[in-house]
Amino acid sequence: MMEASNKPGSWRRLWNLILQAKPPKLLLLTALLLSVMTTLAGLILPLFTKNLVDGFSAASLDRKQIVALGTVFLAQAIAGGLSVYMLNLGGNRVVAAIRERLWRKMLALPVAYFDRHKTGETISRMTNDTAVVKGLVAEHFASFCTGILSVAGALAIMLTMDWRMTAIMLLVFPVTALMMMPVGRAMFRISKGMQEETARFTAVLNRVLSEIRLVKASGSEPVEYVQGADGIEKLFRFGRREGRAQAVLSPLVSFVILLLLVTIIGYGGAQVSAGAITAGELVAFILYLFQIVMPLTQITHFFTQLQKAKGATESIIEILESEEEDLESGERNVPEAGTIEVDRVSFAYKANEPVLKNVSFTIEHGKKTAIVGPSGSGKTTLFSLLERFYAPDEGAIRFGGRGIETYALSAWRRKLGYVSQECPIIAGTIRENIGYGVDRIVSDRELEEAARLAYADEFIRQLPEGYDTEVGERGIKLSGGQRQRIAIARALLRNPDILMLDEATSSLDSRSEAVVQQALSNLMAGRTTIIIAHRLATVADADRIVFLDKGRVTGIGTHDELYRSHATYREFADRQLKLDDSAAS
């Protein structure tokens, strides 16, 4: 990746990324022109100084000169201030457009992408890497352009004043550039490594802080401290290497400035003594020298930032070029009713490690079908295929006689309602959580009716702020049963044709389970229902039970049929009955 970033194509990729963000060209051009005005004003000031030194007296300072000098200073200050503001505004607009594009892309990426990439690293791309691009556009680009103008203008004036002294000064710059090139390459490698390590450290922070209760309950603070401290140490090492590079760069720049200053003063003093130039010209020459050296430092910083931005661009473009889900292509009119056919489906997350092997069965419309089997048999993976988070490696899943991949993804997912064991809850109010994902305006009456059918209305009304109660991050202020009932209310409001229940009551106590089971009965009424469960009581009354074992279907039938004919199912059922009896006692 690092080598790729040094190729000429990486410059074009950065440029294209900025152009695709549709930067406010007029605003940035105006800011650049104001910066040019500031630079030009700076080039005029040494000439005023020259005249003052050569002809300094109280009589020589007439009102016009004072007014002109004050006007130049004022214009320089105003133009400089406006240019800084406008450049920052333009840079912020560019980075906002890149972040908006990244955010839209992230939401369109398939689940498989997030399986391969840590959340914290993805967040770092959105925040840290885009900030690097912003710094290049908002701060360093204008300094680079005005620096070039300042150097060119100062050199032109200096050549007219004394070409010999200018030539002596110019001999130093090629040597300095050759000395600084290795440092520049080292800075790029360091900045690239620091970006990657920052992304990894952000991933650790995100993982630990989002599961802080698990960390504390498990007593894992020492383990997590070691991992976090390791990331901090690595960032420190990169910072130390950056400090070493700066320790070479800064004294080198200071040495060049001092060498030039001593050379110019020595040579210029001799010229003044010989009468070749005036004292005012020497002072002006020294001032122009600073108008070359300081912009050269800014230009150096621009190239350092450019290297960082090139590295950040690679990471951003990697996300933008990732394959995304196509939500709208395909048939939008999904039949209201139909049989789901799973036909010889095989699937593996990793090559040569199949999770499902030649799985076939049907799910009849309006019926209750249960998927049962030991942990790791592929039940949840089958749900992921039905939701089209992944595509089968072999075989097909059909609905109404057509492959589900032929339907528009957004239209297909609108048919599905999903209630899982974890019951994801977003930070916000209960009202927002029940209405989450519903693509229509929902009245209070509809929302409360869904909560009533989910047996959630009673506990919601007992809360101090009712439906406007904040649930906390990931619903931490609610019990497991309350979160389940909110998820069921959300599914009722969504009104899906196909309902998918994944271990929806497995983690509840008996009292909560009884209430949630009543809510689920309301939810399942009149719908095609697919249930994953370990608990026999949850699936014994299913119209059809599909028994999965090690990724294969080993039995299909009702509870009574499988209990008589399927030894593994009978063992599974007997074990469950013993567990239920133990729990009851």
Side-chain angles (χ1 to χ4, degrees), residues 267-296:
Y267 179 82
Q271 293 291 90
V272 171
S273 298
I277 60 173
T278 65
E281 286 175 328
L282 177 59
V283 170
F285 205 92
I286 293 171
L287 291 176
Y288 280 125
L289 172 63
F290 282 106
Q291 292 204 13
I292 290 175
V293 172
M294 298 309 293
L296 282 176

Side-chain angles (χ1 to χ4, degrees), residues 29 43 93 129 138 186 225 296 299 383 387 466 475 499 523 528 558:
L29 182 61
L43 289 171
R93 285 186 181 174
D129 290 358
Y225 171 79
L296 282 176
I299 291 169
F383 265 29
E387 291 181 280
L499 179 63
L523 179 58
T528 300
T558 63

Side-chain angles (χ1 to χ4, degrees), residues 30 50 55 152 190 278 299 345 390 416 443 446 458 485 523:
T30 304
K50 169 182 170 295
I190 293 166
T278 65
I299 291 169
V345 166
Y390 309 96
L416 305 177
S443 67
E446 283 182 282
E458 183 179 353
R485 281 177 273 171
L523 179 58

Side-chain angles (χ1 to χ4, degrees), residues 34 56 178 415 459 512:
L34 288 171
F56 183 76
L178 287 172
K415 287 189 67 67
F459 89 78
S512 296

Side-chain angles (χ1 to χ4, degrees), residues 303-323:
F303 281 109
T304 302
Q305 187 72 12
L306 182 61
Q307 296 288 4
K308 291 181 180 180
K310 283 164 59 183
T313 299
E314 294 294 324
S315 302
I316 292 170
I317 289 177
E318 181 187 348
I319 295 177
L320 293 176
E321 290 183 348
S322 297
E323 186 176 353

Side-chain angles (χ1 to χ4, degrees), residues 535-536 563 570-585:
R535 303 283 295 275
L536 185 63
Y563 193 85
R570 185 164 55 251
E571 181 184 343
F572 168 82
D574 290 341
R575 187 167 59 249
Q576 280 299 312
L577 287 171
K578 288 179 182 177
L579 289 172
D580 290 343
D581 289 341
S582 299
S585 62

